[in-house]
Amino acid sequence: MSATFSAGGNGRGEQPGRIMSGEMAEQPGMLRRILDQGAAGIRAVAEEIAARKPRFVLLTARGTSDNAALYAKYLLEIRLGLPCGLASMSTTTAYGAEPDLTDVLVITISQSGGSPDLVASTKAAREAGAVTLAVTNNPDSALAAVSEYHIDILAGPEKALPATKTYTASLLSLYLFVEGLRGGDGSAAAVLPELAEAVLGRGDEVRSLASRYRFAERMVITSRGYGYPTAKEAALKLMETSYIPALSYSGADLLHGPLAMVDNISPVIAVVTDGRGGEALQPVLDRLRGRGADLFVVGPKAQVAAASAGFVLPTAGVPEELQPILEILPLQMLAYEVTLARGQDPDAPRALAKVTETH
């Protein structure tokens, strides 16, 4: 499909945001590719790991991949009842800790598979007895080489600095992996490519919404359950492209103090999944409306109708655990459009590099 996003000049004779918009538009086809070409291999890896009966899972990642790891944490704990933690890599890379990771599954998620701390911590985990799995967009990466197992997310080359298609590719690959661990076939994901195409075809709708936030000085993004990783990823996209300070909170955490900063001029984006996470967020939405917040909702029609503005997601028949793959799409577009409206180029955020080498 072709994107319907806006364009302008950037002083280099190029269309600003051209690369990011193109990569966003690739997502429906990429989701189909994973389902058609990657699912069988992911299932085979999952079956091998399931046979080893890991007792605990540690998830290791940075940036956008860290938000994908949080999504995997929800999947593993809810769908499998398997305890999970988000690893602190500095305990091994900076402090030299030597934990006993026997029978622990360590999943390291990275688009490039090239960051030295990810490679070093995964290598140390394997030496400490862990079952190691790398989830990357580069099967020839150093991370894939030091890991016992590897899943290629099949996103294709990603050139824009803000990650878009590698995020949704990671989510779908992790969903299929967890389904494989539990003996499922992941067939519920078959609806995603068509629905993603429909969402991305509503660029004009997002463009009109973006004008509300052109001059925003800060934004708050909130959700609960499976939607919380979406809130964190949306905040990251807004910060790295438009430079708007965007604060992401679990709805429960928002009520424990940060709600005090919300007023009628500070935009709040609520990601409302159609399911238990959305039900748990309802008291938060009520409090936000009570404070007169400028509330933008991404979610089901009934929730959008009760907000100041919003984007209705096609959630009917889509399991709650798969909705994050759709939820992030209008928020990627929103970050893109707000950035253009502020006269900046979303393809080239200042001070960022595609491969971030942390140690």
Side-chain angles (χ1 to χ4, degrees), residues 85-136:
L86 300 177
S88 299
M89 283 171 277
S90 61
T91 60
T92 54
T93 60
Y95 291 92
E98 298 180 353
D100 180 2
L101 298 179
T102 305
D103 298 327
V104 173
L105 171 60
V106 172
I107 303 174
T108 307
I109 306 165
S110 171
Q111 299 155 40
S112 68
S115 185
D117 59 347
L118 293 170
V119 175
S121 63
T122 301
K123 183 174 183 291
R126 188 170 181 181
E127 292 171 350
V131 178
T132 52
L133 167 65
V135 179
T136 80

mmCIF file of all heavy atoms in Angstrom, residues 85-136:
data_model
loop_
_atom_site.group_PDB
_atom_site.id
_atom_site.type_symbol
_atom_site.label_atom_id
_atom_site.label_comp_id
_atom_site.label_asym_id
_atom_site.label_seq_id
_atom_site.Cartn_x
_atom_site.Cartn_y
_atom_site.Cartn_z
ATOM 1 N N GLY A 85 11.077 -11.056 34.457
ATOM 2 C CA GLY A 85 11.696 -9.828 34.923
ATOM 3 C C GLY A 85 12.376 -9.121 33.775
ATOM 4 O O GLY A 85 12.742 -9.749 32.770
ATOM 5 N N LEU A 86 12.520 -7.798 33.893
ATOM 6 C CA LEU A 86 13.272 -7.013 32.920
ATOM 7 C C LEU A 86 14.685 -6.858 33.454
ATOM 8 O O LEU A 86 14.893 -6.340 34.549
ATOM 9 C CB LEU A 86 12.608 -5.654 32.698
ATOM 10 C CG LEU A 86 11.167 -5.705 32.169
ATOM 11 C CD1 LEU A 86 10.588 -4.296 32.058
ATOM 12 C CD2 LEU A 86 11.110 -6.398 30.812
ATOM 13 N N ALA A 87 15.655 -7.336 32.713
ATOM 14 C CA ALA A 87 17.037 -7.411 33.196
ATOM 15 C C ALA A 87 17.683 -6.033 33.323
ATOM 16 O O ALA A 87 17.403 -5.123 32.548
ATOM 17 C CB ALA A 87 17.861 -8.284 32.257
ATOM 18 N N SER A 88 18.549 -5.897 34.307
ATOM 19 C CA SER A 88 19.414 -4.725 34.442
ATOM 20 C C SER A 88 20.800 -5.149 33.976
ATOM 21 O O SER A 88 21.551 -5.791 34.718
ATOM 22 C CB SER A 88 19.456 -4.254 35.898
ATOM 23 O OG SER A 88 18.178 -3.890 36.346
ATOM 24 N N MET A 89 21.137 -4.786 32.734
ATOM 25 C CA MET A 89 22.374 -5.290 32.139
ATOM 26 C C MET A 89 23.620 -4.846 32.878
ATOM 27 O O MET A 89 24.628 -5.545 32.909
ATOM 28 C CB MET A 89 22.447 -4.869 30.671
ATOM 29 C CG MET A 89 21.563 -5.704 29.770
ATOM 30 S SD MET A 89 21.476 -5.035 28.103
ATOM 31 C CE MET A 89 20.208 -3.803 28.308
ATOM 32 N N SER A 90 23.575 -3.668 33.512
ATOM 33 C CA SER A 90 24.769 -3.156 34.179
ATOM 34 C C SER A 90 25.207 -4.040 35.346
ATOM 35 O O SER A 90 26.368 -3.972 35.766
ATOM 36 C CB SER A 90 24.536 -1.729 34.668
ATOM 37 O OG SER A 90 23.481 -1.686 35.606
ATOM 38 N N THR A 91 24.294 -4.876 35.875
ATOM 39 C CA THR A 91 24.716 -5.746 36.975
ATOM 40 C C THR A 91 25.815 -6.695 36.542
ATOM 41 O O THR A 91 26.686 -7.053 37.342
ATOM 42 C CB THR A 91 23.525 -6.557 37.529
ATOM 43 O OG1 THR A 91 22.980 -7.378 36.493
ATOM 44 C CG2 THR A 91 22.457 -5.644 38.085
ATOM 45 N N THR A 92 25.799 -7.087 35.252
ATOM 46 C CA THR A 92 26.881 -7.944 34.745
ATOM 47 C C THR A 92 27.936 -7.148 33.986
ATOM 48 O O THR A 92 29.128 -7.365 34.161
ATOM 49 C CB THR A 92 26.319 -9.052 33.833
ATOM 50 O OG1 THR A 92 25.526 -8.467 32.792
ATOM 51 C CG2 THR A 92 25.462 -10.011 34.628
ATOM 52 N N THR A 93 27.500 -6.200 33.129
ATOM 53 C CA THR A 93 28.472 -5.498 32.287
ATOM 54 C C THR A 93 29.290 -4.470 33.053
ATOM 55 O O THR A 93 30.449 -4.231 32.738
ATOM 56 C CB THR A 93 27.764 -4.802 31.109
ATOM 57 O OG1 THR A 93 26.815 -3.849 31.612
ATOM 58 C CG2 THR A 93 27.050 -5.817 30.231
ATOM 59 N N ALA A 94 28.699 -3.815 34.071
ATOM 60 C CA ALA A 94 29.430 -2.792 34.842
ATOM 61 C C ALA A 94 29.900 -3.306 36.196
ATOM 62 O O ALA A 94 30.990 -2.957 36.650
ATOM 63 C CB ALA A 94 28.552 -1.556 35.031
ATOM 64 N N TYR A 95 29.095 -4.149 36.841
ATOM 65 C CA TYR A 95 29.410 -4.587 38.197
ATOM 66 C C TYR A 95 30.001 -5.994 38.258
ATOM 67 O O TYR A 95 30.481 -6.411 39.316
ATOM 68 C CB TYR A 95 28.160 -4.523 39.080
ATOM 69 C CG TYR A 95 27.710 -3.115 39.371
ATOM 70 C CD1 TYR A 95 26.775 -2.488 38.559
ATOM 71 C CD2 TYR A 95 28.223 -2.405 40.446
ATOM 72 C CE1 TYR A 95 26.353 -1.199 38.815
ATOM 73 C CE2 TYR A 95 27.815 -1.113 40.708
ATOM 74 C CZ TYR A 95 26.879 -0.507 39.892
ATOM 75 O OH TYR A 95 26.470 0.774 40.151
ATOM 76 N N GLY A 96 29.935 -6.700 37.146
ATOM 77 C CA GLY A 96 30.544 -8.026 37.120
ATOM 78 C C GLY A 96 29.823 -9.077 37.933
ATOM 79 O O GLY A 96 30.431 -10.082 38.340
ATOM 80 N N ALA A 97 28.534 -8.898 38.190
ATOM 81 C CA ALA A 97 27.769 -9.897 38.941
ATOM 82 C C ALA A 97 27.715 -11.216 38.162
ATOM 83 O O ALA A 97 27.731 -11.229 36.925
ATOM 84 C CB ALA A 97 26.360 -9.387 39.205
ATOM 85 N N GLU A 98 27.652 -12.326 38.896
ATOM 86 C CA GLU A 98 27.606 -13.650 38.276
ATOM 87 C C GLU A 98 26.405 -14.426 38.815
ATOM 88 O O GLU A 98 26.549 -15.348 39.633
ATOM 89 C CB GLU A 98 28.913 -14.401 38.542
ATOM 90 C CG GLU A 98 30.129 -13.710 37.942
ATOM 91 C CD GLU A 98 31.426 -14.459 38.215
ATOM 92 O OE1 GLU A 98 31.384 -15.446 38.998
ATOM 93 O OE2 GLU A 98 32.465 -14.071 37.663
ATOM 94 N N PRO A 99 25.181 -14.084 38.361
ATOM 95 C CA PRO A 99 23.996 -14.777 38.873
ATOM 96 C C PRO A 99 23.920 -16.209 38.354
ATOM 97 O O PRO A 99 24.469 -16.532 37.297
ATOM 98 C CB PRO A 99 22.842 -13.937 38.314
ATOM 99 C CG PRO A 99 23.404 -13.322 37.069
ATOM 100 C CD PRO A 99 24.853 -13.057 37.363
ATOM 101 N N ASP A 100 23.245 -17.049 39.104
ATOM 102 C CA ASP A 100 22.995 -18.422 38.666
ATOM 103 C C ASP A 100 21.736 -18.413 37.802
ATOM 104 O O ASP A 100 20.632 -18.194 38.302
ATOM 105 C CB ASP A 100 22.799 -19.339 39.875
ATOM 106 C CG ASP A 100 22.522 -20.788 39.474
ATOM 107 O OD1 ASP A 100 22.526 -21.088 38.266
ATOM 108 O OD2 ASP A 100 22.292 -21.617 40.374
ATOM 109 N N LEU A 101 21.892 -18.638 36.517
ATOM 110 C CA LEU A 101 20.772 -18.573 35.589
ATOM 111 C C LEU A 101 20.401 -19.951 35.039
ATOM 112 O O LEU A 101 19.815 -20.065 33.966
ATOM 113 C CB LEU A 101 21.098 -17.610 34.436
ATOM 114 C CG LEU A 101 21.341 -16.150 34.850
ATOM 115 C CD1 LEU A 101 21.684 -15.303 33.637
ATOM 116 C CD2 LEU A 101 20.131 -15.574 35.583
ATOM 117 N N THR A 102 20.710 -20.971 35.777
ATOM 118 C CA THR A 102 20.343 -22.320 35.364
ATOM 119 C C THR A 102 18.830 -22.417 35.185
ATOM 120 O O THR A 102 18.061 -21.999 36.056
ATOM 121 C CB THR A 102 20.793 -23.347 36.425
ATOM 122 O OG1 THR A 102 22.189 -23.187 36.648
ATOM 123 C CG2 THR A 102 20.505 -24.764 35.958
ATOM 124 N N ASP A 103 18.414 -22.940 34.050
ATOM 125 C CA ASP A 103 16.997 -23.127 33.712
ATOM 126 C C ASP A 103 16.230 -21.823 33.565
ATOM 127 O O ASP A 103 14.997 -21.810 33.605
ATOM 128 C CB ASP A 103 16.291 -24.012 34.750
ATOM 129 C CG ASP A 103 16.880 -25.409 34.818
ATOM 130 O OD1 ASP A 103 17.334 -25.908 33.767
ATOM 131 O OD2 ASP A 103 16.891 -25.990 35.913
ATOM 132 N N VAL A 104 16.928 -20.712 33.391
ATOM 133 C CA VAL A 104 16.287 -19.427 33.128
ATOM 134 C C VAL A 104 16.346 -19.150 31.625
ATOM 135 O O VAL A 104 17.384 -19.363 30.990
ATOM 136 C CB VAL A 104 16.978 -18.286 33.910
ATOM 137 C CG1 VAL A 104 16.413 -16.922 33.505
ATOM 138 C CG2 VAL A 104 16.831 -18.503 35.410
ATOM 139 N N LEU A 105 15.252 -18.706 31.062
ATOM 140 C CA LEU A 105 15.221 -18.291 29.660
ATOM 141 C C LEU A 105 15.521 -16.800 29.598
ATOM 142 O O LEU A 105 14.796 -15.992 30.193
ATOM 143 C CB LEU A 105 13.851 -18.588 29.041
ATOM 144 C CG LEU A 105 13.590 -18.013 27.644
ATOM 145 C CD1 LEU A 105 14.594 -18.535 26.622
ATOM 146 C CD2 LEU A 105 12.153 -18.317 27.209
ATOM 147 N N VAL A 106 16.584 -16.440 28.896
ATOM 148 C CA VAL A 106 16.943 -15.037 28.701
ATOM 149 C C VAL A 106 16.634 -14.669 27.254
ATOM 150 O O VAL A 106 17.214 -15.225 26.322
ATOM 151 C CB VAL A 106 18.431 -14.783 29.016
ATOM 152 C CG1 VAL A 106 18.824 -13.356 28.619
ATOM 153 C CG2 VAL A 106 18.690 -15.005 30.508
ATOM 154 N N ILE A 107 15.694 -13.753 27.078
ATOM 155 C CA ILE A 107 15.304 -13.286 25.746
ATOM 156 C C ILE A 107 15.864 -11.886 25.558
ATOM 157 O O ILE A 107 15.538 -10.969 26.318
ATOM 158 C CB ILE A 107 13.774 -13.261 25.589
ATOM 159 C CG1 ILE A 107 13.171 -14.641 25.866
ATOM 160 C CG2 ILE A 107 13.393 -12.792 24.183
ATOM 161 C CD1 ILE A 107 11.645 -14.653 25.860
ATOM 162 N N THR A 108 16.717 -11.722 24.564
ATOM 163 C CA THR A 108 17.308 -10.420 24.266
ATOM 164 C C THR A 108 16.723 -9.915 22.950
ATOM 165 O O THR A 108 16.800 -10.589 21.931
ATOM 166 C CB THR A 108 18.832 -10.509 24.159
ATOM 167 O OG1 THR A 108 19.351 -11.129 25.340
ATOM 168 C CG2 THR A 108 19.447 -9.129 24.019
ATOM 169 N N ILE A 109 16.132 -8.725 23.000
ATOM 170 C CA ILE A 109 15.437 -8.159 21.842
ATOM 171 C C ILE A 109 16.215 -6.940 21.366
ATOM 172 O O ILE A 109 16.510 -6.038 22.145
ATOM 173 C CB ILE A 109 13.995 -7.770 22.208
ATOM 174 C CG1 ILE A 109 13.259 -8.975 22.815
ATOM 175 C CG2 ILE A 109 13.245 -7.255 20.988
ATOM 176 C CD1 ILE A 109 11.971 -8.612 23.522
ATOM 177 N N SER A 110 16.542 -6.929 20.086
ATOM 178 C CA SER A 110 17.329 -5.832 19.527
ATOM 179 C C SER A 110 17.081 -5.764 18.027
ATOM 180 O O SER A 110 17.131 -6.780 17.347
ATOM 181 C CB SER A 110 18.821 -6.048 19.788
ATOM 182 O OG SER A 110 19.619 -5.117 19.087
ATOM 183 N N GLN A 111 16.841 -4.565 17.516
ATOM 184 C CA GLN A 111 16.642 -4.432 16.068
ATOM 185 C C GLN A 111 17.915 -4.814 15.315
ATOM 186 O O GLN A 111 17.891 -5.631 14.399
ATOM 187 C CB GLN A 111 16.251 -2.994 15.735
ATOM 188 C CG GLN A 111 14.958 -2.539 16.388
ATOM 189 C CD GLN A 111 14.923 -1.034 16.548
ATOM 190 O OE1 GLN A 111 15.356 -0.298 15.668
ATOM 191 N NE2 GLN A 111 14.405 -0.553 17.669
ATOM 192 N N SER A 112 19.022 -4.227 15.713
ATOM 193 C CA SER A 112 20.285 -4.438 14.992
ATOM 194 C C SER A 112 21.069 -5.620 15.513
ATOM 195 O O SER A 112 21.863 -6.218 14.779
ATOM 196 C CB SER A 112 21.162 -3.188 15.101
ATOM 197 O OG SER A 112 21.604 -3.008 16.441
ATOM 198 N N GLY A 113 20.895 -5.951 16.796
ATOM 199 C CA GLY A 113 21.702 -7.012 17.398
ATOM 200 C C GLY A 113 23.155 -6.629 17.545
ATOM 201 O O GLY A 113 24.030 -7.498 17.650
ATOM 202 N N GLY A 114 23.429 -5.306 17.596
ATOM 203 C CA GLY A 114 24.818 -4.879 17.589
ATOM 204 C C GLY A 114 25.308 -4.147 18.823
ATOM 205 O O GLY A 114 26.509 -3.873 18.934
ATOM 206 N N SER A 115 24.409 -3.815 19.763
ATOM 207 C CA SER A 115 24.858 -3.031 20.911
ATOM 208 C C SER A 115 25.749 -3.878 21.825
ATOM 209 O O SER A 115 25.379 -4.988 22.215
ATOM 210 C CB SER A 115 23.659 -2.521 21.704
ATOM 211 O OG SER A 115 24.085 -1.666 22.741
ATOM 212 N N PRO A 116 26.931 -3.387 22.189
ATOM 213 C CA PRO A 116 27.880 -4.196 22.960
ATOM 214 C C PRO A 116 27.340 -4.707 24.290
ATOM 215 O O PRO A 116 27.655 -5.822 24.698
ATOM 216 C CB PRO A 116 29.059 -3.231 23.174
ATOM 217 C CG PRO A 116 28.994 -2.297 22.018
ATOM 218 C CD PRO A 116 27.532 -2.099 21.754
ATOM 219 N N ASP A 117 26.520 -3.886 25.003
ATOM 220 C CA ASP A 117 26.033 -4.357 26.298
ATOM 221 C C ASP A 117 25.033 -5.495 26.144
ATOM 222 O O ASP A 117 25.006 -6.432 26.955
ATOM 223 C CB ASP A 117 25.443 -3.213 27.122
ATOM 224 C CG ASP A 117 24.282 -2.504 26.456
ATOM 225 O OD1 ASP A 117 24.061 -2.712 25.244
ATOM 226 O OD2 ASP A 117 23.593 -1.718 27.142
ATOM 227 N N LEU A 118 24.235 -5.464 25.094
ATOM 228 C CA LEU A 118 23.303 -6.564 24.838
ATOM 229 C C LEU A 118 24.056 -7.852 24.524
ATOM 230 O O LEU A 118 23.709 -8.931 25.011
ATOM 231 C CB LEU A 118 22.369 -6.208 23.682
ATOM 232 C CG LEU A 118 21.380 -5.068 23.930
ATOM 233 C CD1 LEU A 118 20.700 -4.681 22.625
ATOM 234 C CD2 LEU A 118 20.348 -5.458 24.961
ATOM 235 N N VAL A 119 25.095 -7.716 23.699
ATOM 236 C CA VAL A 119 25.895 -8.893 23.338
ATOM 237 C C VAL A 119 26.610 -9.444 24.565
ATOM 238 O O VAL A 119 26.589 -10.657 24.836
ATOM 239 C CB VAL A 119 26.900 -8.528 22.228
ATOM 240 C CG1 VAL A 119 27.818 -9.714 21.921
ATOM 241 C CG2 VAL A 119 26.162 -8.103 20.960
ATOM 242 N N ALA A 120 27.227 -8.557 25.338
ATOM 243 C CA ALA A 120 28.002 -8.994 26.506
ATOM 244 C C ALA A 120 27.113 -9.630 27.564
ATOM 245 O O ALA A 120 27.467 -10.667 28.147
ATOM 246 C CB ALA A 120 28.761 -7.809 27.093
ATOM 247 N N SER A 121 25.962 -9.030 27.828
ATOM 248 C CA SER A 121 25.091 -9.580 28.869
ATOM 249 C C SER A 121 24.488 -10.914 28.434
ATOM 250 O O SER A 121 24.307 -11.816 29.260
ATOM 251 C CB SER A 121 23.986 -8.583 29.226
ATOM 252 O OG SER A 121 23.139 -8.329 28.123
ATOM 253 N N THR A 122 24.198 -11.058 27.151
ATOM 254 C CA THR A 122 23.661 -12.330 26.655
ATOM 255 C C THR A 122 24.722 -13.419 26.712
ATOM 256 O O THR A 122 24.446 -14.562 27.109
ATOM 257 C CB THR A 122 23.129 -12.161 25.222
ATOM 258 O OG1 THR A 122 22.111 -11.157 25.212
ATOM 259 C CG2 THR A 122 22.560 -13.469 24.691
ATOM 260 N N LYS A 123 25.937 -13.068 26.342
ATOM 261 C CA LYS A 123 27.039 -14.037 26.418
ATOM 262 C C LYS A 123 27.255 -14.478 27.870
ATOM 263 O O LYS A 123 27.422 -15.679 28.157
ATOM 264 C CB LYS A 123 28.312 -13.409 25.854
ATOM 265 C CG LYS A 123 29.522 -14.339 25.799
ATOM 266 C CD LYS A 123 30.679 -13.634 25.085
ATOM 267 C CE LYS A 123 31.882 -14.567 24.951
ATOM 268 N NZ LYS A 123 32.513 -14.860 26.249
ATOM 269 N N ALA A 124 27.215 -13.505 28.796
ATOM 270 C CA ALA A 124 27.389 -13.833 30.216
ATOM 271 C C ALA A 124 26.248 -14.702 30.732
ATOM 272 O O ALA A 124 26.462 -15.624 31.529
ATOM 273 C CB ALA A 124 27.483 -12.539 31.033
ATOM 274 N N ALA A 125 25.034 -14.433 30.255
ATOM 275 C CA ALA A 125 23.878 -15.232 30.679
ATOM 276 C C ALA A 125 24.010 -16.674 30.211
ATOM 277 O O ALA A 125 23.719 -17.615 30.956
ATOM 278 C CB ALA A 125 22.593 -14.608 30.130
ATOM 279 N N ARG A 126 24.477 -16.854 28.991
ATOM 280 C CA ARG A 126 24.650 -18.219 28.479
ATOM 281 C C ARG A 126 25.712 -18.961 29.273
ATOM 282 O O ARG A 126 25.551 -20.147 29.618
ATOM 283 C CB ARG A 126 25.010 -18.168 26.993
ATOM 284 C CG ARG A 126 25.013 -19.531 26.315
ATOM 285 C CD ARG A 126 25.138 -19.399 24.809
ATOM 286 N NE ARG A 126 25.111 -20.706 24.165
ATOM 287 C CZ ARG A 126 25.222 -20.885 22.841
ATOM 288 N NH1 ARG A 126 25.354 -19.832 22.040
ATOM 289 N NH2 ARG A 126 25.185 -22.103 22.330
ATOM 290 N N GLU A 127 26.791 -18.262 29.605
ATOM 291 C CA GLU A 127 27.855 -18.876 30.400
ATOM 292 C C GLU A 127 27.382 -19.190 31.829
ATOM 293 O O GLU A 127 27.925 -20.089 32.486
ATOM 294 C CB GLU A 127 29.072 -17.949 30.434
ATOM 295 C CG GLU A 127 29.755 -17.816 29.071
ATOM 296 C CD GLU A 127 30.812 -16.730 29.049
ATOM 297 O OE1 GLU A 127 30.885 -15.949 30.038
ATOM 298 O OE2 GLU A 127 31.549 -16.625 28.039
ATOM 299 N N ALA A 128 26.331 -18.448 32.281
ATOM 300 C CA ALA A 128 25.794 -18.664 33.630
ATOM 301 C C ALA A 128 24.696 -19.728 33.645
ATOM 302 O O ALA A 128 24.028 -19.906 34.667
ATOM 303 C CB ALA A 128 25.260 -17.355 34.187
ATOM 304 N N GLY A 129 24.493 -20.409 32.518
ATOM 305 C CA GLY A 129 23.554 -21.520 32.470
ATOM 306 C C GLY A 129 22.206 -21.231 31.871
ATOM 307 O O GLY A 129 21.328 -22.107 31.854
ATOM 308 N N ALA A 130 21.999 -20.011 31.345
ATOM 309 C CA ALA A 130 20.698 -19.648 30.794
ATOM 310 C C ALA A 130 20.481 -20.255 29.416
ATOM 311 O O ALA A 130 21.431 -20.526 28.670
ATOM 312 C CB ALA A 130 20.569 -18.130 30.700
ATOM 313 N N VAL A 131 19.217 -20.452 29.077
ATOM 314 C CA VAL A 131 18.800 -20.703 27.701
ATOM 315 C C VAL A 131 18.640 -19.330 27.072
ATOM 316 O O VAL A 131 17.874 -18.504 27.562
ATOM 317 C CB VAL A 131 17.464 -21.462 27.654
ATOM 318 C CG1 VAL A 131 17.019 -21.680 26.220
ATOM 319 C CG2 VAL A 131 17.551 -22.780 28.404
ATOM 320 N N THR A 132 19.383 -19.048 26.019
ATOM 321 C CA THR A 132 19.395 -17.699 25.461
ATOM 322 C C THR A 132 18.721 -17.654 24.095
ATOM 323 O O THR A 132 18.980 -18.482 23.226
ATOM 324 C CB THR A 132 20.834 -17.164 25.333
ATOM 325 O OG1 THR A 132 21.643 -18.110 24.628
ATOM 326 C CG2 THR A 132 21.435 -16.924 26.713
ATOM 327 N N LEU A 133 17.869 -16.655 23.919
ATOM 328 C CA LEU A 133 17.153 -16.436 22.661
ATOM 329 C C LEU A 133 17.326 -14.983 22.248
ATOM 330 O O LEU A 133 17.022 -14.070 23.019
ATOM 331 C CB LEU A 133 15.663 -16.747 22.839
ATOM 332 C CG LEU A 133 14.727 -16.286 21.716
ATOM 333 C CD1 LEU A 133 15.028 -17.027 20.410
ATOM 334 C CD2 LEU A 133 13.266 -16.467 22.117
ATOM 335 N N ALA A 134 17.817 -14.766 21.034
ATOM 336 C CA ALA A 134 17.907 -13.423 20.466
ATOM 337 C C ALA A 134 16.750 -13.214 19.502
ATOM 338 O O ALA A 134 16.450 -14.090 18.684
ATOM 339 C CB ALA A 134 19.235 -13.238 19.736
ATOM 340 N N VAL A 135 16.112 -12.066 19.601
ATOM 341 C CA VAL A 135 15.035 -11.678 18.689
ATOM 342 C C VAL A 135 15.503 -10.407 17.998
ATOM 343 O O VAL A 135 15.552 -9.338 18.616
ATOM 344 C CB VAL A 135 13.715 -11.447 19.454
ATOM 345 C CG1 VAL A 135 12.600 -11.030 18.493
ATOM 346 C CG2 VAL A 135 13.312 -12.701 20.230
ATOM 347 N N THR A 136 15.900 -10.523 16.725
ATOM 348 C CA THR A 136 16.509 -9.388 16.043
ATOM 349 C C THR A 136 16.000 -9.276 14.603
ATOM 350 O O THR A 136 15.348 -10.167 14.073
ATOM 351 C CB THR A 136 18.048 -9.499 15.977
ATOM 352 O OG1 THR A 136 18.430 -10.374 14.905
ATOM 353 C CG2 THR A 136 18.647 -10.014 17.275
#
